[in-house]
Amino acid sequence: MTARTRVADPVFTESIEDPKSAFDWLASHVAGFDHFIDGKFQTPSGTTDRIEVKNPATGQVLATIPRGTQQDVDAAVEAATRAFQTWSKLSGFERAKYIYAIARSIREQARLFALLETLDNGKPIRESRDADIPLVVRHFEHHAGRAQTLRADHPNKKPIGVVGQVIPWNFSLLMAAWKLGVALATGNTVVLKTADLTPLTGMLLAEIFIDVGLPAGVVNIVNGDGSTGDMLVRHSGVGKIAFTGSTPVGKKIRVATAGSGKGLTMEAGGKSPFIVCEGADLHGAVEGIINGIFFNKGEVCCAGSRLLVQESIAPELIALLKKRMSRLRVGNPLDKTIDIGAMNSQTQFDKVTRLIACGEEEGCTKWQPDGCMLDSTANGFFIAPTIFTNVSPTSTIAREEIFGPVLVIMTFREVDEAVELANNTRYGLAASVWSQCMDVAFDIASRLEAGTVWINCTNEFDAAVEFGGRRESGWGSEGGDRGMLAYLTDAEAIRDYARKPDPADEAPVFDPPLLHRTRRIVAGGALKRPDADRCYRLLAADGTFLCNVGEVNRKDVRNAVEAAAKALLGWRGKTGHNRAQILRFFAENLCDARHNIVENLRRQTGISLRQANEEFNASIEALFWWAAYADRNAGTVSRVCAPRLVTTLCEPIGVIGIRACDELPLLGFVSPMAAAIAQGNTVVILAGKHALTALDIVPITLCSDVPPGVINILTPQDSNKAAIMLAGKYDDVSAFWYLGRSWDTSRQIEIVSADILKRTWVSGGVSLNWFDHESLSGRVLTEATNPKAIWVPFGA
Ligand code: NDP
């Protein structure tokens, strides 16, 4: 019997949601939709090119949308730019009132929204009604509150300006809500590009914006395909891009925005593990698996698509799973009794079908329940729920994101093996862990490379909690505090720092050093002569010779990265208290070297004694400042709508490569270094153009109890070139901070990091004022950590 044959089921009765209101609404737009620009629907400019929007369950054409042109995108950005002048100046409460009105209006039209989403996307009506819409409302309502408390929460921040948002087809309304709520709360204005496969709920949302009187231009919606998205992403009037979609498109956007100075957050694909340990509640786990992989037909970025089950319980769990799957029904998405709807498009159907065939060709064992496909699947893109056993970690289906109702099952013996298998992926979006033993569950959760970990639950989301990925799942968060920060920028006072000459101060005094010293770099906790026996001459501000500095080559860089990667486990395992002690000891030892360091600062830069002392004192303060945050910034606990305890931990990112700042050779070196290691990262730091100060710091790292490999200091002659190499060539470097002043190097770093979607923080040619570490803290701590939201059932 094939999966397509329907078994007579005496209990089964259809219960179809009446789609009349949706078809009436579509009939009122029979001429096709326009773009929503400047508060009204506007006829597309310069083209009559239209895209058909189809119901994937039947093939019926529902509507047409225009393919947005450059003129349309320009008009939308111009409208948003005008609106920003007034919208950003409204009080938080004024903005909150609009956002709240949007939330309530969606609630009032919940049925129409749910119907349209189901017709457009193919998802079961139960899911659009009970999962998507409530979460959409929650996002707007929560962010109405955030608008009001914005100034209290983030006093030194301001909105970015016009933000461009690009969303996918799998949760079109929900993704719009995730992005719009926060943008409006923070005082930004928006140009949103819907997915061409699912634009309908975006159009209804636009009508709501008119109804609630949202000022013209605050939100603009441009329809179109990837080419329209590309125009938006590249538009010079846009200050930030928020993207959700596939990893390959994410990489293109990273390259397209490189060097533009635009903020970028990216939610991309995933291959999330679902781990079930001995002693877990197997019936609960089976329900979790069903939800994890078959919710929204598996077209979910964080779908639990890799089941890792402990060997001893695998036969029982798989038997229970098959039994439960035998009760699943695939059919008309408007039927309230069905579990799995239609794949969103022919392309998606073909891709999933191809990967299922590939699994079989590679020798994995396929299983689909008999008779799950109802008659209503005859004309649409339906796929039966599928599991694969006999899967190896190298199988294509275990590595590639399938984005459909397909689960691969692998077993493990020990918890360590489960963690290794789970992390054996280029993605890092989410994970689910099932164990009745909380210490086992938390131990696994702490070791997983994922932005969200659900313990004994799955697919939980809330506007108050950060959601975002690591590795090739992207970076940046949506929801929670970090979601807000991604839409805010620093006040001018801490940007564009350049030290002014101070003629009132006494002239610098240059004392030649008494003894010749051969300067060394530090890698792996030891002073090293650079590998090649070559050096370059470092000159003082007045052009006289200061010292020879050994040239750094590829091997030195590789050794430093290896040392930093090796030191990571031990360093992140230390307590925050211990890391703070080491930073304070570092400050003490720096004080002992004060005279030498201050003199060398003056020699290199030509600044006055007062200015050099000021920078020195600020560096000591910065070390204490970041030490204070070593045992703080642990994370947050969020209030969510479900009975769950959600703790969002701030975890170290890993090895951070840093190209230090030129304007402040001491402070701009010590402060970012301390911030990074205080949070449990290890660093490879490239000195800026005043390398002597970096060389002065080298011995301090060795006498301050800093474990070998935690701080690695290199002094290449061309540190911009070395920065590009470090950011682009070393996968072990998980993030790169470029604090130098070259715009072009900033751009190139963003380009070379796109290959593995490495997190970058670049200056864009503007130096930060490291004297104001207080104002910089939010940004720096965000750049130094990855959030991990851990969800645990809690209370009634
Ligand atoms: P795509 O990446 O193809 O598309 C996402 C959006 O980007 C669409 O609006 C698309 O337009 C647009 N787009 C396509 N090319 C470009 C471009 N060059 N420049 C700018 N915009 C562009 O993803 P899908 O829509 O196919 O969605 C499926 C993928 O999204 C899956 O891989 C899934 O993992 C991921 N995803 C991730 C989520 C997360 O939270 N991490 C959530 C949802 C999905 P158009 O479609 O109109 O051509």
Side-chain angles (χ1 to χ4, degrees):
M1 192 179 285
T2 67
R4 197 168 262 288
T5 317
R6 180 178 148 199
V7 176
D9 181 348
V11 188
F12 174 72
T13 45
E14 285 187 335
S15 174
I16 306 292
E17 179 78 26
D18 183 0
K20 182 172 181 310
S21 57
F23 282 112
D24 286 349
W25 183 80
L26 287 169
S28 68
H29 296 89
V30 72
F33 291 95
D34 293 328
H35 304 301
F36 178 69
I37 297 174
D38 210 12
K40 47 190 178 298
F41 287 96
Q42 297 204 11
T43 318
S45 325
T47 178
T48 51
D49 191 8
R50 298 192 73 83
I51 303 169
E52 285 186 338
V53 181
K54 291 183 183 164
N55 179 347
T58 60
Q60 179 192 7
V61 176
L62 298 170
T64 65
I65 52 160
R67 196 183 312 271
T69 62
Q70 188 65 52
Q71 284 153 287
D72 299 323
V73 174
D74 288 349
V77 174
E78 274 163 31
T81 308
R82 279 194 301 277
F84 181 72
Q85 301 311 319
T86 41
W87 180 252
S88 59
K89 294 192 182 66
L90 290 186
S91 72
F93 180 52
E94 286 302 319
R95 289 202 302 275
K97 284 195 285 188
Y98 286 109
I99 303 169
Y100 181 70
I102 294 167
R104 297 319 299 163
S105 304
I106 295 171
R107 168 69 78 206
E108 284 154 19
Q109 301 209 51
R111 182 158 302 237
L112 179 55
F113 270 110
L115 278 168
L116 286 173
E117 197 71 325
T118 285
L119 289 173
D120 206 5
N121 172 282
K123 66 175 73 190
I125 186 75
R126 261 191 311 128
E127 292 178 358
S128 25
R129 187 192 60 195
D130 300 342
D132 292 28
I133 306 295
L135 198 49
V136 165
V137 173
R138 165 74 176 149
H139 262 270
F140 281 112
E141 286 188 354
H142 176 79
H143 284 99
R146 291 243 177 205
Q148 226 174 328
T149 60
L150 176 65
R151 276 180 50 193
D153 295 342
H154 303 289
N156 290 309
K157 302 280 177 184
K158 55 179 192 169
I160 292 171
V162 178
V163 299
Q165 305 183 326
V166 180
I167 56 174
W169 43 259
N170 57 344
F171 289 95
S172 46
L173 181 63
L174 185 55
M175 289 300 120
W178 278 33
K179 290 183 165 43
L180 289 173
V182 60
L184 298 182
T186 42
N188 295 282
T189 56
V190 179
V191 179
L192 174 84
K193 211 285 289 170
T194 55
D196 61 350
L197 291 163
T198 54
L200 298 182
T201 45
M203 294 291 93
L204 181 57
L205 200 53
E207 292 184 353
I208 279 183
F209 296 151
I210 296 174
D211 289 350
V212 303
L214 188 71
V218 171
V219 176
N220 306 273
I221 302 180
V222 181
N223 288 306
D225 60 9
S227 63
T228 314
D230 185 55
M231 291 167 203
L232 177 59
V233 160
R234 290 174 191 274
H235 202 289
S236 60
V238 171
K240 174 205 159 64
I241 297 294
F243 169 74
T244 299
S246 60
T247 296
V249 172
K251 290 181 182 181
K252 279 191 202 167
I253 292 178
R254 167 70 291 178
V255 172
T257 55
S260 64
K262 286 177 190 155
L264 179 60
T265 42
M266 175 157 316
E267 309 287 343
K271 190 81 186 172
S272 300
F274 192 109
I275 304 171
V276 187
C277 303
E278 277 168 2
D281 163 13
L282 292 193
H283 290 276
V286 166
E287 287 311 311
I289 296 166
I290 296 285
N291 180 334
I293 188 62
F294 302 128
F295 173 65
N296 206 47
K297 328 142 241 172
E299 291 174 339
V300 182
C301 53
C302 53
S305 52
R306 284 185 299 148
L307 174 60
L308 309 177
V309 51
Q310 200 147 13
E311 211 169 73
S312 54
I313 54 165
E316 188 185 354
L317 183 78
I318 293 170
L320 285 172
L321 178 62
K322 285 181 174 174
K323 195 170 162 205
R324 176 69 179 84
M325 283 174 67
S326 299
R327 297 209 310 273
L328 294 175
R329 290 193 178 90
V330 186
N332 179 1
L334 287 172
D335 181 347
K336 284 176 269 188
T337 68
I338 67 113
D339 303 287
I340 298 176
M343 296 284 98
N344 183 249
S345 64
Q346 178 82 58
T347 315
Q348 194 62 20
F349 177 84
D350 292 346
K351 179 185 163 199
V352 177
T353 317
R354 177 176 54 76
L355 281 163
I356 290 175
C358 171
E360 290 184 285
E361 281 155 23
E362 290 185 4
C364 308
T365 309
K366 182 181 93 170
W367 186 86
Q368 292 175 326
D370 289 331
C372 59
M373 305 287 271
L374 302 182
D375 293 343
S376 52
T377 57
N379 298 319
F381 306 124
F382 293 89
I383 292 181
T386 307
I387 57 175
F388 276 102
T389 48
N390 287 327
V391 179
S392 107
T394 55
S395 305
T396 307
I397 53 170
R399 287 182 290 109
E400 269 199 38
E401 183 185 43
I402 300 176
F403 223 57
V406 184
L407 178 71
V408 298
I409 304 178
M410 289 175 278
T411 58
F412 64 88
R413 287 194 182 152
E414 303 297 334
V415 160
D416 285 350
E417 194 190 345
V419 172
E420 201 178 313
L421 276 173
N423 287 338
N424 182 16
T425 167
R426 60 199 172 102
Y427 297 111
L429 195 54
S432 194
V433 181
W434 291 71
S435 169
Q436 288 307 99
C437 200
M438 274 300 131
D439 52 352
V440 171
F442 275 100
D443 173 46
I444 296 176
S446 70
R447 292 156 68 194
L448 292 176
E449 277 298 332
T452 297
V453 180
W454 295 292
I455 294 179
N456 294 335
C457 57
T458 199
N459 271 350
E460 304 266 356
F461 310 95
D462 195 281
V465 181
E466 279 84 356
F467 181 81
R470 300 179 181 182
R471 300 172 165 176
E472 294 196 30
S473 292
W475 69 83
S477 302
E478 306 223 318
D481 235 6
R482 285 178 184 239
M484 293 287 285
L485 277 170
Y487 281 80
L488 295 166
T489 183
D490 298 316
E492 291 307 331
I494 55 168
R495 288 174 63 83
D496 213 5
Y497 178 79
R499 187 161 19 203
K500 314 247 176 335
D502 192 349
D505 276 344
E506 78 285 15
V509 182
F510 296 145
D511 291 330
L514 296 176
L515 285 180
H516 180 85
R517 280 180 66 197
T518 299
R519 302 282 181 169
R520 290 171 165 84
I521 55 174
V522 61
L527 286 178
K528 299 241 164 75
R529 243 187 227 105
D531 193 60
D533 271 340
R534 273 203 300 269
C535 63
Y536 62 94
R537 288 162 63 78
L538 203 62
L539 302 183
D542 63 359
T544 55
F545 174 71
L546 262 183
C547 63
N548 284 321
V549 180
E551 181 52 301
V552 170
N553 67 15
R554 254 171 212 279
K555 197 163 162 218
D556 297 312
V557 178
R558 195 190 62 218
N559 289 344
V561 172
E562 275 173 10
K566 200 164 147 212
L568 193 59
L569 202 61
W571 183 244
R572 66 190 290 174
K574 282 200 185 299
T575 62
H577 175 69
N578 198 209
R579 290 199 292 265
Q581 281 177 320
I582 290 171
L583 280 172
R584 292 191 183 109
F585 189 31
F586 191 103
E588 283 174 31
N589 291 323
L590 199 65
C591 281
D592 284 349
R594 174 182 199 122
H595 176 75
N596 184 41
I597 290 176
V598 165
E599 270 317 297
N600 282 340
L601 257 184
R602 300 177 66 198
R603 283 202 175 91
Q604 293 172 98
T605 58
I607 58 175
S608 70
L609 182 61
R610 184 188 61 76
Q611 286 174 314
N613 273 322
E614 211 171 65
E615 184 171 341
F616 186 87
N617 293 341
S619 303
I620 301 297
E621 194 182 321
L623 283 163
F624 269 65
W625 178 265
W626 299 117
Y629 272 105
D631 55 8
R632 294 185 50 208
N633 194 42
T636 48
V637 174
S638 309
R639 283 186 203 275
V640 297
C641 291
R644 301 280 183 267
L645 178 66
V646 187
T647 313
T648 304
L649 299 178
C650 291
E651 294 192 333
I653 293 176
V655 178
I656 300 185
I658 304 176
R659 166 24 172 117
C661 129
D662 291 324
E663 276 66 31
L664 298 164
L666 180 64
L667 179 60
F669 186 99
V670 162
S671 189
M673 174 198 84
I677 68 167
Q679 297 301 314
N681 302 288
T682 59
V683 289
V684 177
I685 318 183
L686 307 171
K689 65 180 178 189
H690 303 305
L692 184 52
T693 297
L695 293 166
D696 283 341
I697 295 168
V698 164
I700 314 286
T701 61
L702 298 182
C703 61
S704 304
D705 290 348
V706 180
V710 171
I711 298 175
N712 304 277
I713 299 176
L714 301 173
T715 51
Q717 185 170 14
D718 185 341
S719 54
N720 284 346
K721 194 169 148 203
I724 294 165
M725 177 175 57
L726 193 51
K729 293 241 181 309
Y730 295 90
D731 290 1
D732 276 347
V733 176
S734 302
F736 196 87
W737 299 357
Y738 177 73
L739 309 173
R741 224 187 163 112
S742 157
W743 170 82
D744 190 52
T745 308
S746 300
R747 184 181 69 91
Q748 290 197 48
I749 283 173
E750 289 183 332
I751 291 173
V752 296
S753 64
D755 202 29
I756 58 162
L757 285 187
K758 182 178 292 184
R759 263 181 85 167
T760 56
W761 177 26
V762 301
S763 71
V766 175
S767 294
L768 291 172
N769 180 4
W770 290 94
F771 280 104
D772 195 353
H773 42 249
E774 201 172 316
S775 300
L776 280 176
S777 292
R779 177 70 195 264
V780 175
L781 292 170
T782 303
E783 295 295 345
T785 53
N786 269 330
K788 177 189 277 176
I790 301 183
W791 295 65
V792 191
F794 179 75

